[in-house]
Short mmCIF file of all heavy atoms in Angstrom, two decimals:
data_model
loop_
_atom_site.label_atom_id
_atom_site.label_comp_id
_atom_site.label_asym_id
_atom_site.label_seq_id
_atom_site.Cartn_x
_atom_site.Cartn_y
_atom_site.Cartn_z
N MET A 1 39.76 -135.14 -110.56
CA MET A 1 40.41 -134.02 -109.90
C MET A 1 39.68 -132.73 -110.26
O MET A 1 40.12 -131.97 -111.10
CB MET A 1 41.87 -133.96 -110.35
CG MET A 1 42.75 -133.16 -109.44
SD MET A 1 44.41 -133.03 -110.10
CE MET A 1 45.08 -134.66 -109.78
N LYS A 2 38.51 -132.55 -109.66
CA LYS A 2 37.70 -131.37 -109.96
C LYS A 2 37.45 -130.62 -108.65
O LYS A 2 37.30 -131.24 -107.60
CB LYS A 2 36.35 -131.77 -110.57
CG LYS A 2 36.43 -132.79 -111.71
CD LYS A 2 37.07 -132.23 -112.97
CE LYS A 2 37.12 -133.34 -114.04
NZ LYS A 2 37.93 -132.95 -115.21
N ALA A 4 35.74 -128.54 -105.57
CA ALA A 4 34.44 -128.48 -104.90
C ALA A 4 33.73 -127.21 -105.37
O ALA A 4 34.38 -126.29 -105.88
CB ALA A 4 34.66 -128.47 -103.39
N PRO A 5 32.41 -127.16 -105.21
CA PRO A 5 31.70 -125.96 -105.69
C PRO A 5 32.13 -124.71 -104.93
O PRO A 5 32.48 -124.77 -103.76
CB PRO A 5 30.23 -126.27 -105.39
CG PRO A 5 30.17 -127.73 -105.09
CD PRO A 5 31.52 -128.14 -104.60
N LEU A 43 42.72 -129.96 -106.71
CA LEU A 43 43.12 -131.06 -105.81
C LEU A 43 42.28 -131.09 -104.54
O LEU A 43 42.47 -131.95 -103.69
CB LEU A 43 44.60 -130.90 -105.45
CG LEU A 43 45.60 -131.23 -106.57
CD1 LEU A 43 46.93 -130.54 -106.35
CD2 LEU A 43 45.80 -132.73 -106.68
N ARG A 44 41.36 -130.15 -104.42
CA ARG A 44 40.52 -130.00 -103.21
C ARG A 44 41.38 -129.87 -101.96
O ARG A 44 41.06 -130.42 -100.91
CB ARG A 44 39.52 -131.16 -103.09
CG ARG A 44 38.55 -131.24 -104.25
CD ARG A 44 37.33 -132.11 -104.01
NE ARG A 44 36.48 -132.10 -105.20
CZ ARG A 44 35.16 -132.19 -105.21
NH1 ARG A 44 34.49 -132.32 -104.08
NH2 ARG A 44 34.48 -132.16 -106.34
N TYR A 184 71.44 -117.17 -108.68
CA TYR A 184 71.79 -118.58 -108.85
C TYR A 184 70.68 -119.46 -108.31
O TYR A 184 70.34 -119.43 -107.13
CB TYR A 184 73.12 -118.90 -108.15
CG TYR A 184 73.74 -120.16 -108.72
CD1 TYR A 184 74.54 -120.10 -109.85
CD2 TYR A 184 73.48 -121.40 -108.15
CE1 TYR A 184 75.09 -121.24 -110.40
CE2 TYR A 184 74.02 -122.56 -108.70
CZ TYR A 184 74.82 -122.47 -109.82
OH TYR A 184 75.35 -123.60 -110.38
N LYS A 185 70.13 -120.23 -109.22
CA LYS A 185 69.00 -121.08 -108.86
C LYS A 185 69.37 -122.52 -109.10
O LYS A 185 69.83 -122.87 -110.18
CB LYS A 185 67.80 -120.69 -109.74
CG LYS A 185 66.52 -121.48 -109.50
CD LYS A 185 65.41 -120.96 -110.44
CE LYS A 185 64.11 -121.71 -110.26
NZ LYS A 185 63.04 -121.18 -111.12
N VAL A 186 69.18 -123.34 -108.10
CA VAL A 186 69.37 -124.78 -108.28
C VAL A 186 67.98 -125.41 -108.25
O VAL A 186 67.28 -125.35 -107.25
CB VAL A 186 70.23 -125.39 -107.15
CG1 VAL A 186 70.40 -126.89 -107.37
CG2 VAL A 186 71.59 -124.70 -107.09
N PRO A 188 65.67 -128.93 -109.67
CA PRO A 188 65.87 -130.28 -110.19
C PRO A 188 65.60 -130.39 -111.68
O PRO A 188 66.14 -131.26 -112.35
CB PRO A 188 64.89 -131.13 -109.38
CG PRO A 188 63.94 -130.17 -108.75
CD PRO A 188 64.63 -128.86 -108.65
N LYS A 189 64.77 -129.51 -112.20
CA LYS A 189 64.45 -129.51 -113.63
C LYS A 189 64.25 -128.07 -114.06
O LYS A 189 63.91 -127.22 -113.24
CB LYS A 189 63.10 -130.23 -113.88
CG LYS A 189 63.15 -131.72 -113.98
CD LYS A 189 61.73 -132.27 -114.14
CE LYS A 189 61.05 -131.75 -115.42
NZ LYS A 189 59.69 -132.28 -115.58
N VAL A 190 64.36 -127.81 -115.34
CA VAL A 190 64.01 -126.50 -115.87
C VAL A 190 62.54 -126.22 -115.51
O VAL A 190 61.67 -127.04 -115.73
CB VAL A 190 64.20 -126.45 -117.40
CG1 VAL A 190 63.58 -125.19 -117.99
CG2 VAL A 190 65.68 -126.53 -117.75
N GLU A 192 61.16 -125.95 -112.60
CA GLU A 192 60.69 -126.43 -111.30
C GLU A 192 61.01 -125.39 -110.22
O GLU A 192 61.86 -124.52 -110.39
CB GLU A 192 61.40 -127.73 -110.94
CG GLU A 192 60.85 -128.95 -111.66
CD GLU A 192 59.43 -129.27 -111.24
OE1 GLU A 192 59.10 -129.13 -110.04
OE2 GLU A 192 58.65 -129.66 -112.13
N HIS A 237 87.15 -118.54 -101.98
CA HIS A 237 87.25 -119.59 -100.97
C HIS A 237 86.92 -119.05 -99.58
O HIS A 237 86.18 -119.66 -98.81
CB HIS A 237 88.63 -120.24 -101.00
CG HIS A 237 88.76 -121.33 -100.00
ND1 HIS A 237 89.27 -121.13 -98.74
CD2 HIS A 237 88.39 -122.64 -100.05
CE1 HIS A 237 89.23 -122.27 -98.06
NE2 HIS A 237 88.70 -123.20 -98.84
N ALA A 240 83.31 -118.32 -99.17
CA ALA A 240 82.55 -119.55 -98.91
C ALA A 240 82.59 -119.90 -97.43
O ALA A 240 81.56 -120.28 -96.85
CB ALA A 240 83.11 -120.71 -99.74
N GLN A 244 79.36 -119.97 -95.16
CA GLN A 244 79.02 -121.21 -94.47
C GLN A 244 78.86 -120.98 -92.97
O GLN A 244 77.92 -121.49 -92.36
CB GLN A 244 80.12 -122.24 -94.75
CG GLN A 244 79.76 -123.62 -94.24
CD GLN A 244 80.69 -124.66 -94.84
OE1 GLN A 244 80.90 -124.71 -96.04
NE2 GLN A 244 81.25 -125.49 -93.99
N PRO A 256 74.57 -131.43 -93.57
CA PRO A 256 75.82 -131.05 -94.24
C PRO A 256 75.63 -130.88 -95.75
O PRO A 256 76.20 -129.96 -96.35
CB PRO A 256 76.76 -132.22 -93.93
CG PRO A 256 76.23 -132.81 -92.66
CD PRO A 256 74.74 -132.61 -92.71
N ALA A 257 74.84 -131.75 -96.37
CA ALA A 257 74.64 -131.66 -97.82
C ALA A 257 73.88 -130.39 -98.18
O ALA A 257 74.21 -129.70 -99.14
CB ALA A 257 73.89 -132.89 -98.33
N GLU A 258 72.86 -130.06 -97.39
CA GLU A 258 72.09 -128.83 -97.65
C GLU A 258 72.96 -127.59 -97.45
O GLU A 258 72.88 -126.62 -98.19
CB GLU A 258 70.87 -128.76 -96.72
CG GLU A 258 69.80 -129.78 -97.05
CD GLU A 258 68.77 -129.95 -95.94
OE1 GLU A 258 69.08 -129.61 -94.76
OE2 GLU A 258 67.67 -130.42 -96.23
N ARG A 260 76.15 -127.40 -97.84
CA ARG A 260 77.04 -127.29 -99.01
C ARG A 260 76.29 -126.66 -100.18
O ARG A 260 76.79 -125.77 -100.87
CB ARG A 260 77.56 -128.67 -99.40
CG ARG A 260 78.38 -128.66 -100.69
CD ARG A 260 78.82 -130.06 -101.09
NE ARG A 260 79.81 -130.61 -100.19
CZ ARG A 260 81.12 -130.33 -100.26
NH1 ARG A 260 81.57 -129.53 -101.19
NH2 ARG A 260 81.96 -130.86 -99.41
N LEU A 261 75.07 -127.13 -100.39
CA LEU A 261 74.26 -126.63 -101.51
C LEU A 261 74.03 -125.12 -101.39
O LEU A 261 74.28 -124.36 -102.34
CB LEU A 261 72.91 -127.38 -101.52
CG LEU A 261 71.83 -126.84 -102.43
CD1 LEU A 261 72.24 -127.02 -103.90
CD2 LEU A 261 70.50 -127.55 -102.19
N SER A 264 77.12 -123.01 -101.73
CA SER A 264 77.55 -122.92 -103.13
C SER A 264 76.70 -121.92 -103.89
O SER A 264 77.22 -121.11 -104.66
CB SER A 264 77.44 -124.28 -103.82
OG SER A 264 78.28 -125.21 -103.17
N ARG A 268 78.09 -118.65 -105.68
CA ARG A 268 77.96 -118.52 -107.14
C ARG A 268 77.28 -117.19 -107.51
O ARG A 268 77.69 -116.50 -108.43
CB ARG A 268 77.13 -119.67 -107.73
CG ARG A 268 77.64 -121.05 -107.37
CD ARG A 268 78.68 -121.56 -108.34
NE ARG A 268 79.29 -122.79 -107.83
CZ ARG A 268 78.85 -124.01 -108.13
NH1 ARG A 268 77.84 -124.17 -108.95
NH2 ARG A 268 79.45 -125.07 -107.62
N ARG B 115 31.98 -135.70 -113.28
CA ARG B 115 33.01 -136.16 -112.36
C ARG B 115 33.05 -135.28 -111.12
O ARG B 115 33.24 -135.77 -110.00
CB ARG B 115 34.36 -136.15 -113.08
CG ARG B 115 35.57 -136.37 -112.20
CD ARG B 115 35.68 -137.79 -111.66
NE ARG B 115 36.87 -137.91 -110.83
CZ ARG B 115 37.80 -138.83 -111.00
NH1 ARG B 115 37.68 -139.74 -111.94
NH2 ARG B 115 38.86 -138.86 -110.21
N ALA B 116 32.86 -133.99 -111.32
CA ALA B 116 32.90 -133.07 -110.17
C ALA B 116 31.82 -133.46 -109.15
O ALA B 116 32.07 -133.51 -107.94
CB ALA B 116 32.72 -131.63 -110.63
N GLU B 119 32.75 -136.54 -107.35
CA GLU B 119 33.74 -136.25 -106.30
C GLU B 119 33.08 -135.59 -105.09
O GLU B 119 33.49 -135.82 -103.95
CB GLU B 119 34.87 -135.37 -106.86
CG GLU B 119 35.80 -136.14 -107.78
CD GLU B 119 37.00 -135.30 -108.25
OE1 GLU B 119 37.39 -134.35 -107.55
OE2 GLU B 119 37.54 -135.62 -109.33
N ASP B 120 32.07 -134.75 -105.35
CA ASP B 120 31.33 -134.15 -104.23
C ASP B 120 30.72 -135.24 -103.36
O ASP B 120 30.76 -135.17 -102.12
CB ASP B 120 30.20 -133.24 -104.74
CG ASP B 120 30.71 -132.03 -105.51
OD1 ASP B 120 31.91 -131.71 -105.39
OD2 ASP B 120 29.89 -131.41 -106.22
N GLN B 123 33.28 -137.03 -101.36
CA GLN B 123 33.74 -136.21 -100.24
C GLN B 123 32.72 -136.17 -99.09
O GLN B 123 33.10 -135.97 -97.94
CB GLN B 123 34.01 -134.78 -100.74
CG GLN B 123 35.03 -134.03 -99.94
CD GLN B 123 35.39 -132.70 -100.57
OE1 GLN B 123 34.68 -132.17 -101.44
NE2 GLN B 123 36.49 -132.13 -100.13
N ASP B 276 42.43 -139.75 -112.56
CA ASP B 276 43.13 -138.48 -112.55
C ASP B 276 44.59 -138.72 -112.14
O ASP B 276 44.97 -139.83 -111.77
CB ASP B 276 42.41 -137.42 -111.71
CG ASP B 276 42.42 -137.69 -110.21
OD1 ASP B 276 43.36 -138.33 -109.72
OD2 ASP B 276 41.47 -137.24 -109.53
N ARG B 278 46.44 -137.82 -109.71
CA ARG B 278 46.73 -138.22 -108.33
C ARG B 278 46.45 -139.72 -108.15
O ARG B 278 47.23 -140.44 -107.55
CB ARG B 278 45.90 -137.39 -107.35
CG ARG B 278 46.19 -137.75 -105.89
CD ARG B 278 45.73 -136.67 -104.93
NE ARG B 278 44.39 -136.23 -105.22
CZ ARG B 278 43.80 -135.21 -104.63
NH1 ARG B 278 44.45 -134.52 -103.71
NH2 ARG B 278 42.58 -134.85 -104.94
N ASP B 642 78.54 -131.16 -110.53
CA ASP B 642 78.96 -129.97 -109.82
C ASP B 642 79.10 -130.34 -108.35
O ASP B 642 78.09 -130.57 -107.68
CB ASP B 642 77.89 -128.88 -110.02
CG ASP B 642 78.29 -127.56 -109.41
OD1 ASP B 642 79.01 -127.57 -108.40
OD2 ASP B 642 77.88 -126.52 -109.97
N PRO B 643 80.32 -130.41 -107.83
CA PRO B 643 80.47 -130.87 -106.44
C PRO B 643 79.94 -129.87 -105.42
O PRO B 643 79.76 -130.21 -104.26
CB PRO B 643 81.98 -131.07 -106.29
CG PRO B 643 82.60 -130.22 -107.35
CD PRO B 643 81.61 -130.10 -108.46
N GLY B 644 79.67 -128.65 -105.85
CA GLY B 644 79.13 -127.66 -104.92
C GLY B 644 77.62 -127.77 -104.75
O GLY B 644 77.09 -127.58 -103.66
N THR B 645 76.93 -128.09 -105.83
CA THR B 645 75.46 -128.09 -105.78
C THR B 645 74.86 -129.45 -106.05
O THR B 645 73.65 -129.63 -105.92
CB THR B 645 74.90 -127.12 -106.85
OG1 THR B 645 75.32 -127.60 -108.14
CG2 THR B 645 75.40 -125.71 -106.65
N GLU B 647 74.43 -130.62 -108.87
CA GLU B 647 73.77 -130.61 -110.17
C GLU B 647 74.55 -131.47 -111.16
O GLU B 647 75.78 -131.49 -111.14
CB GLU B 647 73.68 -129.19 -110.71
CG GLU B 647 72.69 -128.33 -109.95
CD GLU B 647 72.79 -126.87 -110.35
OE1 GLU B 647 73.79 -126.23 -109.98
OE2 GLU B 647 71.87 -126.40 -111.02
N TYR B 685 65.41 -138.77 -111.62
CA TYR B 685 64.29 -137.91 -111.22
C TYR B 685 63.15 -138.60 -110.47
O TYR B 685 62.55 -138.01 -109.59
CB TYR B 685 63.69 -137.24 -112.47
CG TYR B 685 64.69 -136.40 -113.20
CD1 TYR B 685 65.31 -136.87 -114.34
CD2 TYR B 685 65.04 -135.14 -112.71
CE1 TYR B 685 66.27 -136.10 -115.00
CE2 TYR B 685 65.99 -134.38 -113.35
CZ TYR B 685 66.60 -134.86 -114.51
OH TYR B 685 67.55 -134.10 -115.13
N ILE B 706 58.88 -136.22 -113.98
CA ILE B 706 59.37 -136.99 -115.12
C ILE B 706 60.24 -136.05 -115.97
O ILE B 706 60.05 -134.83 -115.94
CB ILE B 706 58.23 -137.64 -115.94
CG1 ILE B 706 57.39 -136.62 -116.68
CG2 ILE B 706 57.36 -138.51 -115.06
CD1 ILE B 706 56.41 -137.25 -117.68
N ALA B 710 64.22 -130.42 -121.54
CA ALA B 710 65.56 -129.90 -121.24
C ALA B 710 66.42 -130.90 -120.48
O ALA B 710 67.61 -130.71 -120.34
CB ALA B 710 65.43 -128.61 -120.44
N GLU B 711 65.80 -131.96 -119.98
CA GLU B 711 66.55 -132.92 -119.17
C GLU B 711 67.09 -134.09 -119.97
O GLU B 711 67.90 -134.86 -119.49
CB GLU B 711 65.67 -133.46 -118.02
CG GLU B 711 65.51 -132.50 -116.87
CD GLU B 711 64.64 -131.30 -117.20
OE1 GLU B 711 63.54 -131.47 -117.77
OE2 GLU B 711 65.05 -130.17 -116.93
N LEU B 772 75.30 -134.71 -103.10
CA LEU B 772 75.98 -133.96 -102.04
C LEU B 772 76.16 -134.81 -100.80
O LEU B 772 77.19 -134.73 -100.11
CB LEU B 772 75.20 -132.68 -101.72
CG LEU B 772 75.15 -131.65 -102.87
CD1 LEU B 772 74.30 -130.45 -102.47
CD2 LEU B 772 76.56 -131.20 -103.25
N GLU B 773 75.16 -135.63 -100.50
CA GLU B 773 75.30 -136.52 -99.34
C GLU B 773 76.46 -137.49 -99.55
O GLU B 773 77.23 -137.75 -98.63
CB GLU B 773 73.98 -137.27 -99.09
CG GLU B 773 72.95 -136.40 -98.38
CD GLU B 773 71.52 -136.93 -98.51
OE1 GLU B 773 71.33 -138.01 -99.09
OE2 GLU B 773 70.61 -136.23 -98.02
N GLU B 776 79.59 -135.58 -99.04
CA GLU B 776 79.83 -135.31 -97.62
C GLU B 776 80.33 -136.54 -96.89
O GLU B 776 81.10 -136.44 -95.95
CB GLU B 776 78.55 -134.78 -96.95
CG GLU B 776 78.17 -133.36 -97.35
CD GLU B 776 79.16 -132.30 -96.88
OE1 GLU B 776 79.92 -132.57 -95.93
OE2 GLU B 776 79.20 -131.20 -97.47
N SER B 781 87.09 -133.81 -99.12
CA SER B 781 86.17 -132.68 -99.25
C SER B 781 86.64 -131.75 -100.37
O SER B 781 87.80 -131.37 -100.40
CB SER B 781 86.10 -131.90 -97.94
OG SER B 781 85.31 -130.75 -98.15
N PRO B 782 85.75 -131.43 -101.29
CA PRO B 782 86.15 -130.58 -102.40
C PRO B 782 86.25 -129.11 -102.02
O PRO B 782 86.75 -128.32 -102.80
CB PRO B 782 85.06 -130.80 -103.44
CG PRO B 782 83.87 -131.21 -102.65
CD PRO B 782 84.35 -131.86 -101.41
N LEU B 783 85.73 -128.73 -100.85
CA LEU B 783 85.78 -127.29 -100.53
C LEU B 783 87.07 -126.93 -99.84
O LEU B 783 87.42 -127.52 -98.85
CB LEU B 783 84.59 -126.92 -99.63
CG LEU B 783 83.53 -126.00 -100.25
CD1 LEU B 783 82.53 -125.59 -99.19
CD2 LEU B 783 84.11 -124.78 -100.95
#
Side-chain angles (χ1 to χ4, degrees):
Chain A
M1 199 185 285
K2 312 291 179 190
L43 287 157
R44 299 195 180 212
Y184 201 86
K185 179 179 180 178
V186 180
K189 277 177 61 180
V190 169
E192 282 294 322
H237 181 266
Q244 188 165 310
E258 290 166 337
R260 174 183 291 278
L261 169 67
S264 299
R268 305 273 171 93
Chain B
R115 169 70 180 234
E119 287 185 25
D120 295 344
Q123 206 173 17
D276 69 29
R278 181 162 47 187
D642 185 328
T645 62
E647 289 170 289
Y685 301 101
I706 69 170
E711 282 71 47
L772 294 177
E773 281 162 3
E776 288 293 339
S781 174
L783 247 187

